[in-house]
Structure formats: C-alpha cells, structure tokens
Amino acid sequence: MEIMDSAAPTHVAHRDNHTHRDVNGGWLRPAVFGAMDGLVSNLALMTGVAGGSLSSQTIVITGLAGLAAGAFSMAAGEYTSVASQRELVLAELDVERAELRRHPKDELAELAALYESRGVEPELARQVAEQLSRDPEQALEIHAREELGIDPSDLPSPAVAAISSFGSFALGALLPVLPYLLGASALWPAVVLALLGLFACGAVVARVTARSWWFSGLRQLALGGAAAGVTYILGSLFGTVVG
C-alpha cells in the first residue's frame, strides 16, 4: 500500500478571478460630478445673495433660477460637446473607410506593421492582418481602435449626455433650495444639507479613485464650504456697497 507523503507540496489550480476598477468611471463619474457642480454653484449663489441681507423669498427665487439656468446650460453645453465630438469621429471614420476601399494593400501593410511594432513576428503579423481585414467593417473597427483609439460601435449619445447632465445638475442644485421649500427661513439648514450632499458625492467618487471615501468626502466638503464662505463674504461686501 502506497502512503502519500503529507509533507509533499500540493498544487492548486490558480483561478484568475480578480477584478479591476472601472477606470473610465462609466456613468458614475459624470453623474456625480454633475451633481457636485449643481451643489457648489447653487450653494455659492444662494449664500452670496444671503450675504447681501436679502429676504428668504429672494434667496429661494435665486436658487430656483440658478437651478434652471445651470441645468439648461449644462445640458446645452454637454449636448454640443458630445455632438461635435461624435461628428468629428464619424468624419474620421469616413476617411478611414475611404482609405480601406482605395488602398487596401497599404492599409493591410500598415496594420501588419503596427502588430510588428508590438512584438509580433513579421510573418504572423501579416497573417493576422490579412485575416482581420477580410471583413471590411471589422477592418474599419480595428483601424479605428488602433489608429484613433475609438470604438465605432460605442459612440456617446448627445441626447443621453444632455439629459444625464441636466438631471444630475438639477438634483445637486435642488439640495440647497429644499429646506426653504419645506418652510425654513434661515440659511443654515440649506448650508448643512448642501455640505452633507457634497460629502456624500465625494465619498461616492472614491469608488472610481484610489482615495478612501472619507478623504474624498471631506475634500469635497471643504471645497464646497470654502466656495460658499467666500461668496457669502463677497455678498456682504456688495450688499454694503450697493446699499
């Protein structure tokens, strides 16, 4: 009877099941930063008006106007930016498509040379390039990825970008106004709620960074609080001068 040595090393198959962070941030980053922008800008606007010793009604109207103006501005800017980027990408894809049609051999050699530059043996690089170039649309996608750094099948939508920017900014900008809409007559509840919102946004951003949630939250709280404090002081000075 064979007795196995208990001291003999055992080999366990390694499972490569690790995961990585979403380095692009996906939808989370623009949504959270849109909310932060709304929070900081509207909080600063309202504290600036409050520093001028104006009535609560004026502060509320200012906050709602700031919410609407900022949200529409963000949406329009995001739509224009993404639409322009998309149009540029589509134009470049048309150029690449025309080159593949007019000079297929040159484009094939270019793709093979690119794989060679990455360490693939010349003959193998040529074979891979030939196989991948048999389908014109696949060839276009590969050239777009390698030369332009884009995925033709995953271009951003201007409408989605505009709507998400509008919604996230409006949500953030609503927080400083909310206490007044619920009956508050003093500024401090709006400031407290907005700062808590800023801390929460900063903590959520930590999901796509290497920072701890409390550091990211406190950093955003400090920045937003500083903006509110400065605009309050400026509002007080302007109120004194104008008054």
Side-chain angles (χ1 to χ4, degrees), residues 140-164:
L140 175 64
E141 181 175 340
I142 293 172
H143 279 274
R145 289 176 182 272
E146 298 294 348
E147 297 177 27
L148 304 176
I150 58 172
D151 183 356
S153 62
D154 190 27
L155 299 181
S157 167
V160 171
I163 292 172
S164 61

Side-chain angles (χ1 to χ4, degrees), residues 43 46-48 50-51 56 59 176 179-180 184-193 232:
L43 175 62
M46 292 173 64
T47 53
S56 297
I59 297 174
Y180 284 100
S185 57
L187 179 64
W188 69 265
V191 173
V192 170
L193 183 60
Y232 184 86

Side-chain angles (χ1 to χ4, degrees), residues 41-114:
S41 62
N42 219 29
L43 175 62
L45 178 63
M46 292 173 64
T47 53
V49 172
S53 301
L54 299 180
S55 65
S56 297
Q57 183 181 12
T58 303
I59 297 174
V60 173
I61 294 174
T62 301
L64 292 175
L67 184 157
F72 280 112
S73 176
M74 284 284 293
E78 195 70 16
Y79 184 92
T80 302
S81 174
V82 174
S84 300
Q85 180 185 9
R86 185 185 179 91
E87 290 164 1
L88 175 61
V89 169
L90 292 176
E92 290 300 314
L93 288 175
D94 287 340
V95 171
E96 191 63 34
R97 187 179 287 108
E99 287 297 311
L100 285 168
R101 186 173 59 252
R102 288 195 296 249
H103 309 290
K105 293 184 178 179
D106 292 341
E107 293 296 312
L108 178 63
E110 182 179 326
L111 188 60
L114 188 145

Side-chain angles (χ1 to χ4, degrees), residues 118-152:
R118 295 185 176 180
V120 180
E121 294 181 358
E123 182 60 29
L124 180 58
R126 178 80 180 183
Q127 293 175 4
V128 171
E130 288 176 349
Q131 291 182 14
L132 294 177
S133 299
R134 289 173 182 172
D135 181 356
E137 288 303 313
Q138 178 177 258
L140 175 64
E141 181 175 340
I142 293 172
H143 279 274
R145 289 176 182 272
E146 298 294 348
E147 297 177 27
L148 304 176
I150 58 172
D151 183 356

